[in-house]
Amino acid sequence: MWKEIGDREFGKLRSNLFSNRIKSARIASIQLSNYKEIISPHRGSVNSLQVDLTEGRYLLSSASDASVAVYDVQRATDYDGSGLIAKHKHVLLVDKQHEQGHKYAISTAIWYPIDTGLFITGSYDHYVNVWDTNTTQVVINFKMPGKVYKTAMSPVATSHMLIAAGTEDVQVRLCDISSGAFSHTLSGHRDGVMSVEWSASSEWVLVTGGCDGAIRFWDIRRAGCFRVLDQSHSQLGRRPALLARSTANKSSTLKSSSGGPSSSAKGRPSQKKMGNGVSIKQSAIARQVRGSGKQRLHPGMLSSQDRATAHYGAVNGLKMTNDGMYLLSAGSDSRLRLWDIESGCNTLVNFETSRLQATKVIQLAVSHDSKLVFVPCMSTTKAFDLWSGKTMMDLRGHYENVNCCLYNSLDQELYSGGNDRKILVWSPSKATTEELEGMDGQAFAIDQDNWSD
């Protein structure tokens, strides 16, 4: 670490590369925290977790006992007797006893993306509520046709304030906070929708996963979905970088143009003329154009592509990488799949999963550089390498199944919640070998200098 600090001071190492190396070293030493504890007030299984996007400070959790709580993860409310363990109790709690509280389990709770003054909850009582954080009162509520499985808001939206809600109904509904009404109804799934995820690069693109095993991409500015992922449509690994592709295309163009006009004239087949003077080749092209026009009559997909499936069971988890280029999906068939969003291909990464929950929505998480993905695997939380699929960490601490996990990039911490009603904190160890390693590879004490006798 000291060598990297020296390289950073002399300008040999870029600032963002230096910070990424430090964060990667910290996340590699993650373990169950022995100096930080979250005191959960929930009396049911913890179903969702989210840290606000503005400060990265307030953790929002929801549970099956119809309660939702907020914690300050940066300022402790209490310490144990010796003062070594910081305890974080809830600073806000809304439960079933609240006059406007939910009646049944709260399956999802999310922050308003640009302000901690609002948060949104979705429940099995068929309601999506928008809460004022300061007054703990419901500002707007939306009545859904069935149980609410998942809600999401776009983190990059500047033109709309839409809440995407996936329910046990086949239609995805977009709720507009500004008007208090439904703005869109997206039809295409043949069964309930368990997971919804907005694109990280476009405020208009929404991804949904249903119990029919389909993952659909929607552009909310037009009718119908524009892509359905097919698990049989695959590519091996990640696509080449943009610079490499442009270089390859340029070289191929140079090769084709080096043949000269004589070679192209030799290789050109003879075109027979029809009676009206139009060549057969031109008429074939015209037929192809007319055929493609017929395919574009439907605003959605072709019937064969519309029935494609991404999993053999329900899609109960979706997570997009931070750059918005790849999508990770989890299914009740205990499969994880990584998708290239640009091409819509399955990258065929073989994740070493053992078993995933089949009846509940699971919340996935990715690290700051999208190299690690954290997945609840029954009673453990596993960290996989995104491109090799190898298990990098196996985090055991819950007594029952884990339902959700969340990575906080500000502190390089992982939070997990499960059926044991606990919220566990996984943090880097305070003294890692990288922090104790000297310039010449020898280990120094924390308070030792290099100039004293």
Side-chain angles (χ1 to χ4, degrees):
M1 177 178 175
W2 297 114
K3 183 179 184 302
E4 294 176 344
I5 292 177
D7 292 340
R8 176 70 191 97
E9 289 179 351
F10 287 106
K12 298 179 181 179
L13 196 64
R14 291 180 297 177
S15 58
N16 57 347
L17 185 60
F18 173 74
S19 62
N20 286 335
R21 286 186 181 180
I22 299 300
K23 289 180 180 179
S24 299
R26 283 173 55 83
I27 198 63
S29 64
I30 199 171
Q31 61 184 7
L32 187 61
S33 180
N34 55 4
Y35 57 88
K36 194 171 187 177
E37 182 182 357
I38 293 179
I39 308 300
S40 173
H42 300 301
R43 298 182 180 180
S45 60
V46 180
N47 295 326
S48 70
L49 295 169
Q50 191 185 32
V51 172
D52 68 284
L53 302 178
T54 54
E55 298 180 71
R57 175 177 176 179
Y58 296 104
L59 176 66
L60 180 67
S61 65
S62 65
S64 296
D65 62 342
S67 65
V68 59
V70 177
Y71 317 86
D72 188 344
V73 296
Q74 293 184 4
R75 179 177 296 178
T77 56
D78 193 11
Y79 292 88
D80 66 348
S82 58
L84 297 177
I85 301 179
K87 296 189 176 182
H88 299 259
K89 297 181 180 179
H90 62 272
V91 296
L92 183 147
L93 177 65
V94 177
D95 56 11
K96 194 181 294 186
Q97 306 302 324
H98 192 280
E99 58 181 357
Q100 294 179 312
H102 289 286
K103 296 180 180 180
Y104 304 122
I106 300 178
S107 55
T108 173
I110 58 173
W111 285 108
Y112 185 58
I114 59 175
D115 188 9
T116 55
L118 294 175
F119 64 90
I120 297 97
T121 58
S123 172
Y124 281 9
D125 61 3
H126 302 189
Y127 277 96
V128 172
N129 290 348
V130 180
W131 297 81
D132 187 326
T133 310
N134 298 314
T135 61
T136 64
Q137 297 295 318
V138 175
V139 181
I140 308 170
N141 60 359
F142 300 91
K143 180 71 168 68
M144 296 294 168
K147 296 178 182 178
V148 180
Y149 291 130
K150 191 71 174 177
T151 58
M153 293 192 72
S154 174
V156 296
T158 58
S159 304
H160 65 77
M161 295 186 295
L162 299 178
I163 305 170
T167 66
E168 61 182 353
D169 186 57
V170 296
Q171 294 178 331
V172 181
R173 285 170 171 80
L174 301 186
C175 315
D176 191 358
I177 296 180
S178 59
S179 64
F182 297 114
S183 62
H184 296 67
T185 300
L186 308 178
S187 302
H189 285 283
R190 294 173 176 81
D191 207 341
V193 180
M194 296 190 72
S195 51
V196 292
E197 179 86 357
W198 287 93
S199 171
S201 57
S202 174
E203 62 177 311
W204 309 110
V205 177
L206 177 68
V207 188
T208 59
C211 296
D212 55 356
I215 298 177
R216 294 177 177 269
F217 283 71
W218 312 82
D219 188 338
I220 62 173
R221 297 170 296 182
R222 54 171 287 181
C225 68
F226 65 90
R227 176 176 294 165
V228 180
L229 296 183
D230 188 355
Q231 56 185 316
S232 61
H233 184 209
S234 61
Q235 68 183 28
L236 191 58
R238 71 173 79 186
R239 62 176 181 268
L242 185 62
L243 183 61
R245 281 186 290 170
S246 61
T247 305
N249 293 336
K250 192 177 294 184
S251 62
S252 62
T253 305
L254 290 175
K255 287 181 181 179
S256 60
S257 62
S258 63
S262 60
S263 61
S264 60
K266 289 181 181 179
R268 187 182 299 120
S270 59
Q271 299 179 2
K272 296 182 179 180
K273 297 287 185 178
M274 297 178 65
N276 55 0
V278 180
S279 63
I280 296 178
K281 184 177 180 180
Q282 290 178 352
S283 62
I285 294 175
R287 284 196 299 270
Q288 291 178 1
V289 171
R290 288 195 297 268
S292 62
K294 292 180 181 179
Q295 293 176 359
R296 289 196 296 268
L297 289 177
H298 182 65
M301 305 293 298
L302 300 178
S303 60
S304 59
Q305 298 173 345
D306 191 55
R307 296 184 179 273
T309 58
H311 288 270
Y312 290 114
V315 181
N316 57 358
L318 291 174
K319 184 62 181 179
M320 198 167 291
T321 57
N322 297 326
D323 55 10
M325 296 175 65
Y326 297 93
L327 176 71
L328 188 77
S329 65
S332 59
D333 54 357
S334 293
R335 295 283 185 180
L336 285 176
R337 289 192 170 91
L338 183 67
W339 305 88
D340 188 330
I341 293 181
E342 183 186 22
S343 62
C345 292
N346 178 12
T347 59
L348 299 178
V349 177
N350 184 22
F351 292 95
E352 300 173 347
T353 54
S354 54
R355 189 180 173 192
L356 301 177
Q357 290 198 61
T359 58
K360 293 187 68 173
V361 178
I362 60 175
Q363 181 179 332
L364 314 176
V366 294
S367 60
H368 61 281
D369 53 1
S370 300
K371 290 183 179 180
L372 288 179
V373 55
F374 300 93
V375 182
C377 297
M378 304 310 288
S379 60
T380 66
T381 302
K382 292 187 177 182
F384 299 100
D385 183 86
L386 190 67
W387 291 109
S388 66
K390 293 182 180 180
T391 304
M392 308 303 293
M393 285 177 279
D394 195 354
L395 307 177
R396 297 178 179 270
H398 286 277
Y399 295 105
E400 296 183 33
N401 289 348
V402 183
N403 299 322
C404 53
C405 58
L406 173 74
Y407 178 75
N408 187 359
S409 59
L410 185 63
D411 299 324
Q412 293 85 56
E413 289 181 339
L414 181 73
Y415 310 107
S416 61
N419 290 344
D420 56 359
R421 302 173 291 178
K422 301 293 183 184
I423 300 175
L424 299 184
V425 182
W426 309 84
S427 57
S429 58
K430 284 190 173 182
T432 60
T433 55
E434 290 82 6
E435 293 173 342
L436 299 177
E437 190 175 358
M439 292 284 290
D440 54 355
Q442 297 179 352
F444 294 92
I446 296 178
D447 57 350
Q448 184 175 351
D449 53 56
N450 293 331
W451 58 85
S452 299
D453 295 334

